[in-house]
Amino acid sequence: MSDLNALAERVAAALIARGETVAIAESSAGGLISAALLAVPGASKFYVGGAVVYTARARLTLMDIPQKAMDGLRSASEPYAVMLARVARKNLKATWGLSETGAAGPDGNRYGDAPGHCCSAVVSEEVSVSATLETGSDQRAPNMQAFAAFALEQLALTLEAQPDA
């Protein structure tokens, strides 16, 4: 968890310095992204909320994303990750949205992705960045840690690449 804590502190410092906020929508990381951010003292200055969007029911109920919005999309893809991040940001009125979706293992998902497959996205009003990680591992807990670290690193790099607000 120490890597996640260091990444969360890096993200928190950047967000606090900028006076910005983040909303989280995570799936296969199982809440580890939010837990890492909330472990940072002063989290209420930058963290506005998050959801573990693990099922279609959660997507509909927690994110208010109807099945129709999924037409042409599949879970565990970069376009889906972008949509999750956008909706989290919009619904929680945050500066940034961060999402993660994937297949932690030990099996792949029903879309044909192998265990260790993760897509993450970072969005703001002007920015939309997404990326895919393949760990090559079928170990669930280490993959969950890797997915959370991947998403937090993506957010940190995106924040560091942006001019100060």
PDB file of all heavy atoms in Angstrom, residues 26-44:
ATOM      1  N   GLU A  26     -14.284   3.735  -9.892  1.00  0.00           N
ATOM      2  CA  GLU A  26     -13.374   2.611 -10.058  1.00  0.00           C
ATOM      3  C   GLU A  26     -14.152   1.300 -10.069  1.00  0.00           C
ATOM      4  O   GLU A  26     -15.267   1.230  -9.590  1.00  0.00           O
ATOM      5  CB  GLU A  26     -12.290   2.614  -8.993  1.00  0.00           C
ATOM      6  CG  GLU A  26     -12.784   2.669  -7.562  1.00  0.00           C
ATOM      7  CD  GLU A  26     -11.660   2.919  -6.574  1.00  0.00           C
ATOM      8  OE1 GLU A  26     -10.658   2.184  -6.595  1.00  0.00           O
ATOM      9  OE2 GLU A  26     -11.793   3.859  -5.776  1.00  0.00           O
ATOM     10  N   SER A  27     -13.552   0.297 -10.642  1.00  0.00           N
ATOM     11  CA  SER A  27     -14.207  -0.998 -10.747  1.00  0.00           C
ATOM     12  C   SER A  27     -13.314  -2.082 -10.168  1.00  0.00           C
ATOM     13  O   SER A  27     -13.430  -2.442  -9.008  1.00  0.00           O
ATOM     14  CB  SER A  27     -14.548  -1.284 -12.218  1.00  0.00           C
ATOM     15  OG  SER A  27     -15.145  -2.551 -12.351  1.00  0.00           O
ATOM     16  N   SER A  28     -12.372  -2.565 -10.946  1.00  0.00           N
ATOM     17  CA  SER A  28     -11.539  -3.688 -10.540  1.00  0.00           C
ATOM     18  C   SER A  28     -10.552  -3.346  -9.434  1.00  0.00           C
ATOM     19  O   SER A  28     -10.029  -4.242  -8.778  1.00  0.00           O
ATOM     20  CB  SER A  28     -10.792  -4.248 -11.750  1.00  0.00           C
ATOM     21  OG  SER A  28     -11.731  -4.709 -12.700  1.00  0.00           O
ATOM     22  N   ALA A  29     -10.289  -2.070  -9.199  1.00  0.00           N
ATOM     23  CA  ALA A  29      -9.425  -1.671  -8.081  1.00  0.00           C
ATOM     24  C   ALA A  29     -10.178  -1.771  -6.760  1.00  0.00           C
ATOM     25  O   ALA A  29      -9.576  -1.707  -5.691  1.00  0.00           O
ATOM     26  CB  ALA A  29      -8.869  -0.269  -8.289  1.00  0.00           C
ATOM     27  N   GLY A  30     -11.499  -1.899  -6.822  1.00  0.00           N
ATOM     28  CA  GLY A  30     -12.305  -2.198  -5.643  1.00  0.00           C
ATOM     29  C   GLY A  30     -12.306  -1.165  -4.533  1.00  0.00           C
ATOM     30  O   GLY A  30     -12.522  -1.498  -3.380  1.00  0.00           O
ATOM     31  N   GLY A  31     -12.041   0.086  -4.845  1.00  0.00           N
ATOM     32  CA  GLY A  31     -12.041   1.127  -3.824  1.00  0.00           C
ATOM     33  C   GLY A  31     -10.654   1.528  -3.355  1.00  0.00           C
ATOM     34  O   GLY A  31     -10.517   2.437  -2.531  1.00  0.00           O
ATOM     35  N   LEU A  32      -9.615   0.872  -3.864  1.00  0.00           N
ATOM     36  CA  LEU A  32      -8.250   1.184  -3.430  1.00  0.00           C
ATOM     37  C   LEU A  32      -7.824   2.603  -3.808  1.00  0.00           C
ATOM     38  O   LEU A  32      -7.065   3.239  -3.076  1.00  0.00           O
ATOM     39  CB  LEU A  32      -7.259   0.174  -3.996  1.00  0.00           C
ATOM     40  CG  LEU A  32      -7.354  -1.243  -3.436  1.00  0.00           C
ATOM     41  CD1 LEU A  32      -6.411  -2.176  -4.189  1.00  0.00           C
ATOM     42  CD2 LEU A  32      -7.052  -1.250  -1.950  1.00  0.00           C
ATOM     43  N   ILE A  33      -8.310   3.106  -4.953  1.00  0.00           N
ATOM     44  CA  ILE A  33      -7.959   4.467  -5.359  1.00  0.00           C
ATOM     45  C   ILE A  33      -8.522   5.462  -4.345  1.00  0.00           C
ATOM     46  O   ILE A  33      -7.806   6.318  -3.827  1.00  0.00           O
ATOM     47  CB  ILE A  33      -8.483   4.777  -6.778  1.00  0.00           C
ATOM     48  CG1 ILE A  33      -7.842   3.842  -7.805  1.00  0.00           C
ATOM     49  CG2 ILE A  33      -8.243   6.243  -7.130  1.00  0.00           C
ATOM     50  CD1 ILE A  33      -8.499   3.878  -9.171  1.00  0.00           C
ATOM     51  N   SER A  34      -9.806   5.316  -4.053  1.00  0.00           N
ATOM     52  CA  SER A  34     -10.436   6.215  -3.081  1.00  0.00           C
ATOM     53  C   SER A  34      -9.804   6.065  -1.710  1.00  0.00           C
ATOM     54  O   SER A  34      -9.549   7.063  -1.024  1.00  0.00           O
ATOM     55  CB  SER A  34     -11.944   5.945  -3.007  1.00  0.00           C
ATOM     56  OG  SER A  34     -12.577   6.385  -4.183  1.00  0.00           O
ATOM     57  N   ALA A  35      -9.531   4.835  -1.293  1.00  0.00           N
ATOM     58  CA  ALA A  35      -8.926   4.612   0.026  1.00  0.00           C
ATOM     59  C   ALA A  35      -7.572   5.312   0.125  1.00  0.00           C
ATOM     60  O   ALA A  35      -7.263   5.940   1.141  1.00  0.00           O
ATOM     61  CB  ALA A  35      -8.787   3.119   0.296  1.00  0.00           C
ATOM     62  N   ALA A  36      -6.766   5.217  -0.913  1.00  0.00           N
ATOM     63  CA  ALA A  36      -5.452   5.856  -0.890  1.00  0.00           C
ATOM     64  C   ALA A  36      -5.590   7.374  -0.803  1.00  0.00           C
ATOM     65  O   ALA A  36      -4.879   8.024  -0.029  1.00  0.00           O
ATOM     66  CB  ALA A  36      -4.647   5.457  -2.133  1.00  0.00           C
ATOM     67  N   LEU A  37      -6.497   7.946  -1.580  1.00  0.00           N
ATOM     68  CA  LEU A  37      -6.688   9.395  -1.548  1.00  0.00           C
ATOM     69  C   LEU A  37      -7.245   9.853  -0.205  1.00  0.00           C
ATOM     70  O   LEU A  37      -6.818  10.876   0.339  1.00  0.00           O
ATOM     71  CB  LEU A  37      -7.605   9.843  -2.689  1.00  0.00           C
ATOM     72  CG  LEU A  37      -7.006   9.724  -4.087  1.00  0.00           C
ATOM     73  CD1 LEU A  37      -8.077   9.955  -5.146  1.00  0.00           C
ATOM     74  CD2 LEU A  37      -5.840  10.688  -4.273  1.00  0.00           C
ATOM     75  N   LEU A  38      -8.173   9.085   0.345  1.00  0.00           N
ATOM     76  CA  LEU A  38      -8.773   9.468   1.620  1.00  0.00           C
ATOM     77  C   LEU A  38      -7.824   9.289   2.796  1.00  0.00           C
ATOM     78  O   LEU A  38      -8.039   9.878   3.858  1.00  0.00           O
ATOM     79  CB  LEU A  38     -10.063   8.684   1.848  1.00  0.00           C
ATOM     80  CG  LEU A  38     -11.218   9.127   0.953  1.00  0.00           C
ATOM     81  CD1 LEU A  38     -12.359   8.132   1.014  1.00  0.00           C
ATOM     82  CD2 LEU A  38     -11.673  10.520   1.325  1.00  0.00           C
ATOM     83  N   ALA A  39      -6.758   8.521   2.630  1.00  0.00           N
ATOM     84  CA  ALA A  39      -5.758   8.350   3.686  1.00  0.00           C
ATOM     85  C   ALA A  39      -4.852   9.574   3.814  1.00  0.00           C
ATOM     86  O   ALA A  39      -4.148   9.718   4.813  1.00  0.00           O
ATOM     87  CB  ALA A  39      -4.919   7.099   3.417  1.00  0.00           C
ATOM     88  N   VAL A  40      -4.895  10.460   2.822  1.00  0.00           N
ATOM     89  CA  VAL A  40      -4.072  11.669   2.860  1.00  0.00           C
ATOM     90  C   VAL A  40      -4.746  12.697   3.771  1.00  0.00           C
ATOM     91  O   VAL A  40      -5.917  13.026   3.564  1.00  0.00           O
ATOM     92  CB  VAL A  40      -3.895  12.269   1.442  1.00  0.00           C
ATOM     93  CG1 VAL A  40      -3.117  13.572   1.507  1.00  0.00           C
ATOM     94  CG2 VAL A  40      -3.219  11.270   0.520  1.00  0.00           C
ATOM     95  N   PRO A  41      -4.028  13.192   4.787  1.00  0.00           N
ATOM     96  CA  PRO A  41      -4.614  14.239   5.627  1.00  0.00           C
ATOM     97  C   PRO A  41      -5.050  15.435   4.769  1.00  0.00           C
ATOM     98  O   PRO A  41      -4.336  15.851   3.866  1.00  0.00           O
ATOM     99  CB  PRO A  41      -3.458  14.632   6.569  1.00  0.00           C
ATOM    100  CG  PRO A  41      -2.598  13.391   6.631  1.00  0.00           C
ATOM    101  CD  PRO A  41      -2.680  12.810   5.234  1.00  0.00           C
ATOM    102  N   GLY A  42      -6.241  15.946   5.057  1.00  0.00           N
ATOM    103  CA  GLY A  42      -6.766  17.073   4.286  1.00  0.00           C
ATOM    104  C   GLY A  42      -7.504  16.653   3.036  1.00  0.00           C
ATOM    105  O   GLY A  42      -7.753  17.476   2.152  1.00  0.00           O
ATOM    106  N   ALA A  43      -7.879  15.377   2.947  1.00  0.00           N
ATOM    107  CA  ALA A  43      -8.548  14.862   1.751  1.00  0.00           C
ATOM    108  C   ALA A  43      -9.812  15.642   1.393  1.00  0.00           C
ATOM    109  O   ALA A  43     -10.161  15.757   0.219  1.00  0.00           O
ATOM    110  CB  ALA A  43      -8.871  13.379   1.913  1.00  0.00           C
ATOM    111  N   SER A  44     -10.464  16.195   2.394  1.00  0.00           N
ATOM    112  CA  SER A  44     -11.700  16.934   2.106  1.00  0.00           C
ATOM    113  C   SER A  44     -11.454  18.182   1.268  1.00  0.00           C
ATOM    114  O   SER A  44     -12.390  18.728   0.689  1.00  0.00           O
ATOM    115  CB  SER A  44     -12.421  17.307   3.400  1.00  0.00           C
ATOM    116  OG  SER A  44     -11.591  18.130   4.196  1.00  0.00           O
TER     117      SER A  44
END
